[in-house]
Amino acid sequence: MIGRLRCVVLDCPDANEPALSYQRLIGGEVDGPDPRWAVGEGCVVLRGDGGPVLASQSVPGHRSPVRGAPEQRFHFDVRVDGPDAAGEAVLTPGAVPLDDGGGDPARRVYADPAGHPFRLARP
């Protein structure tokens, strides 16, 4: 092992939007910059209960990822008990549907307010 994953950082136009959106989805605590994570100015950190740290970083001129295009580097899979109810709930903090999953609610893909894709998955 060379190192340990410290956090995942999402580039976005406004660091607060994805942090608050993911907080509603997976819980945790949102706060400002934290020198332990070296994310710097313009970043917001979401810490879950024992899970990984997710940071959002404001980037001027940011372009949202496009599903299926070279700009999409990864997506999040988020485990939920009820994909239908969770799908409705993620729309409130600003997520938008990207793919209906061919009618399978556990394959639906959404984008956070900055355009990063995530999929709701059954346990």
Side-chain angles (χ1 to χ4, degrees):
M1 176 175 74
I2 295 173
R4 295 178 189 262
L5 179 65
R6 182 169 52 183
C7 65
V8 174
V9 181
L10 300 174
D11 290 348
C12 51
D14 178 350
N16 290 303
E17 289 179 347
L20 296 173
S21 180
Y22 283 110
Q23 179 187 38
R24 181 171 167 92
L25 180 62
I26 61 174
E29 181 180 344
V30 173
D31 62 4
D34 183 334
R36 293 177 296 169
W37 301 106
V39 291
E41 195 65 32
C43 291
V44 176
V45 176
L46 173 61
R47 290 180 191 79
D49 297 331
V53 171
L54 179 62
S56 303
Q57 173 177 280
S58 296
V59 174
H62 176 267
R63 289 181 25 222
S64 295
V66 177
R67 182 164 168 75
E71 293 86 11
Q72 180 184 324
R73 303 293 188 245
F74 66 92
H75 70 272
F76 293 105
D77 273 356
V78 179
R79 294 208 179 267
V80 296
D81 290 329
D84 284 320
E88 290 298 319
V90 299
L91 299 176
T92 301
V96 294
L98 294 180
D99 185 335
D100 71 0
D104 181 354
R107 296 184 49 120
R108 291 183 189 148
V109 179
Y110 301 84
D112 68 24
H116 302 101
F118 64 93
R119 182 175 69 100
L120 301 178
R122 290 186 187 108

